[in-house]
Amino acid sequence: MSDRINLDLPRYDQSTYWGRAKHFFTVTNPLNVLASESELDRAKDIYLRYKNGENIPGVSEDELWRAKNLYDSAFHPDTGEKMLLIGRMSAQVPMNMTITGCMMTFYKSTPAVFFWQWVNQSFNAIVNYTNRSGSTPITLEESGVSYALATSGAVLTALGLNSMAKKAPPLVGRLVPFAAVAAANCINIPLMRRRELKQGISLTDKDGGRIGQSAIAAQKAIAQVTFSRIGMAVPSMVLTPVLMNALEKRGFLRRFPWANAPIQTLFCGLCLTFATPMCCALFSQRAAIAVDQLEPELQEEINKMKNPPKVVYYNKGL
């Protein structure tokens, strides 16, 4: 390869939706979970050697990107440590399809509602911890408070709506798990990132130079992430109840009661395979905000700079 590839940037154009979608299809590819330890170590070796300026004979451009994708899927971007398997982005689809399928199947019993909502929030806590920032890590206190409140919010929402839905059509009851997950996301994400809401999120210029911290940008970032997370759940947790309600009306589930959980789990997996990367791509990872939308004191500080920018950038998170 005559021209060196910048592995610090995604392979696909991030200014377009489909470029971002292609990037997240590689990041969330569940097949990466199957990579062996030796494959991951080889990918790390190729990626780091090339990034440090070495030319690696016999490695094509596609193989280089494959190594980067495997490295990104398994190693923490800040610390370089190998991440816990179930906390990796590539494990999102298989883990979420199993948990979601069970939440959708066992939504009537109070103990089952409590157990599966607890499992879901425990999994979310593991993902948040595994993907924590190396520069501004989430403390155990922040994780604990967020976990407890999100779990409580999800369980109370599910049990409350289940009680209200007893006299409603069956489809309404099947939609209760989605309402509980949406409520938990609205609690969990702002709590996990409340330090950013207080202290602000880091802003940079177009070249990556640090400019300051903005709580307004943090609010926008957290709102976008919350919307994306809820959007990921919509296809599996809204379309699955519609499908199962139709099968129930046709008597299919009475004839084949054993098929209830497998159908819901597999259909959730199909939905999540596409919904996860496509909802991650809704908003640019490197988001932009106009300077005149920031805090007045920050605007004043930026406008005192030589050639002050009109637009600044921040990492919105996932």
Side-chain angles (χ1 to χ4, degrees):
M1 290 174 280
S2 56
D3 297 324
R4 293 195 68 80
I5 298 167
N6 185 356
L7 293 182
D8 291 327
L9 299 176
R11 186 175 190 178
Y12 306 104
D13 181 7
Q14 297 299 284
S15 66
T16 68
Y17 173 76
W18 287 113
R20 296 194 296 272
K22 285 180 183 178
H23 169 67
F24 282 110
F25 268 107
T26 63
V27 170
T28 63
N29 183 358
L31 295 178
N32 288 339
V33 172
L34 303 178
S36 66
E37 294 296 306
S38 60
E39 286 179 294
L40 293 177
D41 291 337
R42 181 174 182 273
K44 179 180 181 179
D45 179 63
I46 291 172
Y47 170 73
L48 293 180
R49 283 170 58 196
Y50 186 87
K51 193 175 178 183
N52 290 331
E54 284 189 48
N55 287 319
I56 307 174
V59 176
S60 68
E61 183 174 333
D62 284 339
E63 288 172 326
L64 185 60
W65 281 112
R66 170 64 178 161
K68 173 183 166 51
N69 292 336
L70 268 182
Y71 176 85
D72 288 347
S73 76
F75 295 90
H76 194 281
D78 295 329
T79 65
E81 295 176 358
K82 195 174 288 182
M83 295 185 288
L84 185 67
L85 180 65
I86 65 171
R88 299 173 190 171
M89 287 301 291
S90 52
Q92 287 288 294
V93 171
M95 290 300 299
N96 273 324
M97 67 180 277
T98 304
I99 295 170
T100 304
C102 289
M103 281 196 295
M104 306 290 285
T105 302
F106 309 109
Y107 68 94
K108 293 182 179 179
S109 156
T110 297
V113 168
F114 182 90
F115 176 75
W116 287 109
Q117 291 294 341
W118 169 75
V119 168
N120 187 46
Q121 293 311 316
S122 299
F123 172 65
N124 287 339
I126 291 171
V127 172
N128 289 331
Y129 179 79
T130 303
N131 294 279
R132 67 198 182 280
S133 169
S135 56
T136 54
I138 301 167
T139 66
L140 285 176
E141 181 189 0
E142 288 171 328
S143 297
V145 170
S146 172
Y147 172 60
L149 290 177
T151 303
S152 301
V155 170
L156 291 174
T157 301
L159 294 179
L161 291 178
N162 266 347
S163 177
M164 294 168 60
K166 284 180 180 176
K167 296 181 181 179
L171 180 59
V172 174
R174 290 183 180 276
L175 290 169
V176 166
F178 169 68
V181 166
N185 275 319
C186 292
I187 297 168
N188 189 26
I189 297 168
L191 278 173
M192 289 295 287
R193 297 178 63 176
R194 67 182 182 275
R195 191 184 302 183
E196 292 175 19
L197 291 171
K198 291 179 181 177
Q199 301 175 5
I201 197 170
S202 294
L203 300 177
T204 64
D205 58 24
K206 65 178 181 180
D207 298 317
R210 192 175 179 282
I211 286 179
Q213 304 272 122
S214 171
I216 290 176
Q219 292 167 15
K220 187 175 179 182
I222 291 168
Q224 289 176 342
V225 170
T226 303
F227 182 85
S228 296
R229 293 275 190 96
I230 293 173
M232 288 177 203
V234 168
S236 58
M237 301 194 81
V238 173
L239 296 181
T240 304
V242 173
L243 170 66
M244 300 310 292
N245 199 53
L247 293 176
E248 192 170 45
K249 284 182 176 178
R250 286 165 174 74
F252 180 87
L253 297 180
R254 283 195 300 274
R255 293 196 301 274
F256 307 101
W258 56 267
N260 192 2
I263 289 175
Q264 297 202 71
T265 302
L266 291 173
F267 188 73
C268 284
L270 176 65
C271 292
L272 287 165
T273 298
F274 295 94
T276 301
M278 294 179 78
C279 285
C280 281
L282 287 174
F283 305 101
S284 294
Q285 187 72 22
R286 186 175 184 245
I289 185 170
V291 170
D292 60 15
Q293 295 179 12
L294 299 172
E295 294 88 336
E297 62 275 14
L298 188 53
Q299 291 185 43
E300 187 178 341
E301 191 177 322
I302 292 172
N303 288 328
K304 287 179 181 176
M305 297 170 59
K306 185 180 179 180
N307 300 320
K310 298 294 183 185
V311 175
V312 291
Y313 303 88
Y314 58 91
N315 182 350
K316 75 168 178 64
L318 284 175

